[in-house]
């Protein structure tokens, strides 16, 4: 058991050394917003140890939660935050309004309210299709698209040698686990970095009102 522990610690340390410089600037620049900072820190932790698919999934959650939070805090209010019952009633109303909104509509509402730009909205829709819809619903066609890989099949009862073909990963489940990990490895940092940048751009405008 100790050998396993030491082996894992060595592997994690190697990942930390590799990944730290990639996201160091994100680790040290929090939102200072308790509603979102725990999620942000956990995404950084996932990237540090190479848990890229977990990072993508948590970034999906960060995107959805942050946009709804921005919409809620953009609502005009005379709430003075001195009475617990009034605060609870205020946010209950906002939860009823925004809590069940699908991500597509949430992004559009943020654009419509001037919280994010048309370009940011378009970019977030692309991420929504690529990661929130594809990964979140385990949809092979949306996750892998037209991606193809070359494989070799050999059946000694049928073939005398390997038969090589190009196949679509979406239709070949034996390739999907590794390919999805490759996608997450390549894109989790850029996805998180972009969502993080949108949040940090909107917050100062929102909370100085």
């Amino acid at each position: 058991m100790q050998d396993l522990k030491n082996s894992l610690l060595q592997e994690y340390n190697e990942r930390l050394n590799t990944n730290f410089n990639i996201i160091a600037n994100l680790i040290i620049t929090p939102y200072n917003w308790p509603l979102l900072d725990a999620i942000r820190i956990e995404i950084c932790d996932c990237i540090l140890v190479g848990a890229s698919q977990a990072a993508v999934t948590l970034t999906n959650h960060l995107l959805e939660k942050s946009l709804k939070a921005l919409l809620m805090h953009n609502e005009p209010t005379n709430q003075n935050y001195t009475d617990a019952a009034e605060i609870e009633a205020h946010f209950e109303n906002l939860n009823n309004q925004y809590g069940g909104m699908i991500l597509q509509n949430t992004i559009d509402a943020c654009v419509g309210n001037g919280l994010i730009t048309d370009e940011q909205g378009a970019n977030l829709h692309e991420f929504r299709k690529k990661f929130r819809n594809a990964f979140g619903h385990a949809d092979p066609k949306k996750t892998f698209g037209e991606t193809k890989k070359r494989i070799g099949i050999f059946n000694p009862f049928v073939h005398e040698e390997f038969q090589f073909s190009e196949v679509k990963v979406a239709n070949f489940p034996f390739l999907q686990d590794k390919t999805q990990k490759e996608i997450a490895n390549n894109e989790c940092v850029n996805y998180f970095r972009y969502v993080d940048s949108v949040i940090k751009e909107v917050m100062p405008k929102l909370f100085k009102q």
Side-chain angles (χ1 to χ4, degrees):
M1 189 64 71
Q2 186 62 41
D3 288 343
L4 174 60
K5 179 180 179 181
N6 291 338
S7 175
L8 288 173
L9 287 174
Q10 180 179 349
E11 182 181 344
Y12 287 142
N13 283 331
E14 290 173 357
R15 293 183 191 177
L16 287 171
N17 290 331
T18 300
N19 295 328
F20 177 77
N21 290 335
I22 296 174
I23 61 164
N25 62 321
L26 299 176
I27 296 173
I28 63 175
T29 51
Y31 306 132
N32 294 317
W33 192 5
L35 183 66
L36 299 178
D37 267 323
I39 304 170
R40 182 192 64 80
I41 292 169
E42 195 164 338
I43 295 169
C44 290
D45 288 344
C46 288
I47 293 171
L48 282 171
V49 299
S52 56
Q53 294 181 90
V56 167
T57 301
L58 276 174
T59 304
N60 289 337
H61 179 54
L62 175 65
L63 172 60
E64 196 144 8
K65 186 169 185 177
S66 64
L67 294 184
K68 288 180 179 179
L70 294 173
L71 286 168
M72 291 181 185
H73 285 78
N74 191 51
E75 286 284 327
T77 179
N78 58 4
Q79 177 66 48
N80 58 17
Y81 297 102
T82 58
D83 182 273
E86 289 184 9
I87 296 170
E88 183 178 9
H90 171 66
F91 282 103
E92 181 180 11
N93 289 333
L94 293 176
N95 286 338
N96 291 337
Q97 183 174 354
Y98 295 112
M101 189 178 286
I102 63 173
L103 183 54
Q104 180 175 356
N105 293 344
T106 305
I107 294 171
D108 290 342
C110 285
V111 174
N113 281 273
L115 291 168
I116 61 177
T117 66
D118 288 339
E119 181 181 0
Q120 288 171 329
N123 290 335
L124 291 179
H125 275 307
E126 287 303 310
F127 282 123
R128 172 182 65 82
K129 295 171 187 175
K130 190 169 189 177
F131 293 122
R132 173 61 179 83
N133 291 359
F135 274 53
H137 298 298
D139 187 326
K141 289 185 178 180
K142 291 179 180 177
T143 300
F144 306 109
E146 297 298 311
T147 301
K148 293 183 179 180
K149 294 218 171 188
R150 183 173 171 81
I151 64 165
I153 295 179
F154 176 70
N155 183 333
F157 299 104
V158 178
H159 307 140
E160 294 184 359
E161 56 186 23
F162 275 94
Q163 305 296 302
F164 291 94
S165 304
E166 271 203 345
V167 298
K168 283 187 179 180
V169 175
N171 300 330
F172 219 81
F174 313 104
L175 300 174
Q176 290 173 7
D177 184 51
K178 183 178 179 180
T179 306
Q180 182 167 305
K181 176 63 174 170
E182 290 171 354
I183 293 170
N185 286 345
N186 292 334
E187 308 212 30
C188 68
V189 175
N190 288 337
Y191 181 26
F192 173 49
R193 195 186 301 279
Y194 189 80
V195 172
D196 180 77
S197 70
V198 171
I199 296 169
K200 287 173 177 172
E201 182 177 326
V202 176
M203 282 182 59
K205 296 184 288 186
L206 189 66
F207 289 114
K208 74 177 182 179
Q209 293 178 3

